[in-house]
Amino acid sequence: MSKDFQIKKERINRKLERYMKIEDLGFYNLNKENLEKFIIEEFQCINRSSFYPNIKALNEILEDNCIDIQIKSKDYVDKCVQPKDEKYFTRREIQEICDIFINSQDQFIIYALWNGIMGKNYEDLLSIKVSDVADDYSYINLPNGKRFICDDFMQEILLGVVNHMEYMKYLSVEEMRSADTFEFNPECEYLIKTMRTKRNNDGLNKMLPTTLQRRLDLLAKIYMEGNGEKIGFSGKSLVKSGVMYNMFLKEDIEGKSWGVEEVSNYLKMNGYKINANELYRVYHNVYHGSHVNQY
């Protein structure tokens, strides 16, 4: 075992122990669902070369602790690795994408993430309750204590989310309007509701982060079927997309100049936990590879 891999393994073991302490778990009762949550939360990375060694180290840790679970990289690579076809959207583009989807809930998920409503492991997004939404849909009181002011597009989406008590399943682009539907539990207090099952307390529990990521994967597939363009939807990429668009507005309208230090200060000031060096590089590739004149 190389020294670098040993250091990586020790680091991942510390992260896993910290995760188990937070979740009140031990090696004796770890299961696949617990580990999936850990992987999606902790193994978000920039490239494939760092992802596969992480999975290898995790599998060795499980084996060292006599856990009879082996993680397959292929099951999680699309959820954790930044897609090569990752795309970034202006406000107009993301609104046009939202209009493709027939469920207000899906529109809200995409647009809320683009607007930076996420939190660690989607906690801020998934914990929003109907009571947190203003009666006129003009703002949302977020679980992190901040108030999000809604634009007209978000207000229209929220009207649908609050009042629609059913979800239409996507079969395909051509068939989606005749697809089956399922009803939400009207007693569910959360804005983002899920199918009623025994496992989620008859639809009263909030959606799991893993369920949300699967929803994003489905929406990316629906988008591809309708537009012929393969993209990757993830919470982090959508948040990053919205952040960069707002940076572009400041540069284009206010004349703001973005260096690494300025990007870092902007992220800290707005509470975004994004690598400033990476965002600086991506921002200049996206917005200065060719000048963008659309809003």
Side-chain angles (χ1 to χ4, degrees):
M1 182 186 298
S2 71
K3 184 177 180 180
D4 287 345
F5 183 77
Q6 180 62 36
I7 293 172
K8 180 186 290 292
K9 183 176 174 180
E10 291 172 356
R11 184 175 67 250
I12 291 173
N13 190 61
R14 288 194 297 271
K15 287 185 175 182
L16 182 59
E17 289 179 346
R18 184 167 60 248
Y19 165 77
M20 290 192 296
K21 184 177 181 179
I22 293 172
E23 297 291 328
D24 195 24
L25 296 168
F27 282 110
Y28 68 92
N29 63 349
L30 267 182
N31 57 37
K32 197 74 173 286
E33 187 173 355
N34 301 145
L35 287 167
E36 182 171 287
K37 181 180 177 183
F38 170 75
I39 291 167
I40 291 175
E41 180 174 338
E42 296 291 346
F43 286 6
Q44 294 284 346
C45 51
I46 296 172
N47 54 56
R48 293 171 185 265
S49 62
S50 60
F51 173 73
Y52 291 107
N54 283 353
I55 294 295
K56 181 182 178 182
L58 177 60
N59 278 324
E60 288 194 9
I61 292 168
L62 296 175
E63 185 177 355
D64 292 345
N65 288 275
C66 302
I67 307 300
D68 189 23
I69 300 175
Q70 279 291 295
I71 303 299
K72 296 180 180 179
S73 300
K74 65 182 180 65
D75 293 338
Y76 302 98
V77 64
D78 290 338
K79 296 180 175 66
C80 297
V81 175
Q82 180 175 314
K84 292 181 180 179
D85 49 11
E86 189 168 87
K87 184 174 171 60
Y88 302 101
F89 308 99
T90 66
R91 177 175 282 110
R92 187 178 71 182
E93 288 171 336
I94 204 69
Q95 289 178 354
E96 289 173 350
I97 288 172
C98 288
D99 285 337
I100 293 172
F101 305 122
I102 54 179
N103 294 292
S104 299
Q105 185 184 98
D106 295 332
Q107 296 173 353
F108 174 72
I109 289 170
I110 295 293
Y111 200 53
L113 288 169
W114 188 89
N115 277 283
I117 303 175
M118 181 176 171
K120 186 175 183 180
N121 208 24
Y122 298 111
E123 184 65 22
D124 287 345
L125 178 61
L126 295 177
S127 298
I128 297 173
K129 297 178 179 179
V130 175
S131 59
D132 294 325
V133 179
D135 291 339
D136 61 356
Y137 310 111
S138 61
Y139 64 84
I140 304 170
N141 289 321
L142 300 178
N144 61 15
K146 296 181 180 180
R147 174 169 289 187
F148 175 79
I149 305 301
C150 302
D151 60 20
D152 291 344
F153 191 78
M154 179 64 92
Q155 291 179 38
E156 185 178 344
I157 291 175
L158 284 172
L159 176 65
V161 178
V162 171
N163 293 285
H164 292 172
M165 286 293 107
E166 64 178 20
Y167 185 89
M168 184 173 289
K169 298 179 182 178
Y170 297 97
L171 299 180
S172 70
V173 172
E174 293 78 15
E175 300 176 274
M176 65 168 63
R177 297 201 176 277
S178 60
D180 293 336
T181 62
F182 63 82
E183 294 185 356
F184 298 127
N185 189 331
E187 300 301 318
C188 178
E189 62 181 341
Y190 295 104
L191 187 63
I192 299 177
K193 299 174 173 60
T194 190
M195 183 185 293
R196 301 173 74 159
T197 66
K198 290 182 179 180
R199 292 185 65 185
N200 65 17
N201 192 24
D202 194 35
L204 292 176
N205 294 348
K206 64 184 175 184
M207 183 181 284
L208 294 173
T210 50
T211 304
L212 180 63
Q213 185 56 58
R214 286 194 292 270
R215 178 73 62 81
L216 289 171
D217 293 342
L218 172 63
L219 297 179
K221 180 180 178 182
I222 293 296
Y223 177 87
M224 183 179 68
E225 288 185 22
N227 295 271
E229 181 182 10
K230 185 178 181 181
I231 60 173
F233 277 147
S234 72
K236 289 189 175 182
S237 68
L238 286 167
V239 170
K240 191 188 300 182
S241 185
V243 170
M244 289 195 299
Y245 176 69
N246 288 324
M247 288 170 55
F248 166 69
L249 290 185
K250 286 185 172 293
E251 179 176 346
D252 199 50
I253 297 173
E254 302 174 13
K256 176 73 174 179
S257 178
W258 295 108
V260 175
E261 184 177 355
E262 288 75 20
V263 171
S264 179
N265 291 336
Y266 179 75
L267 294 174
K268 289 177 182 177
M269 183 175 63
N270 290 280
Y272 292 115
K273 295 185 177 181
I274 301 173
N275 184 287
N277 288 286
E278 174 65 15
L279 189 69
Y280 168 82
R281 182 185 65 80
V282 175
Y283 174 76
H284 282 276
N285 284 343
V286 171
Y287 284 99
H288 291 285
S290 60
H291 191 70
V292 178
N293 286 313
Q294 56 182 346
Y295 293 84

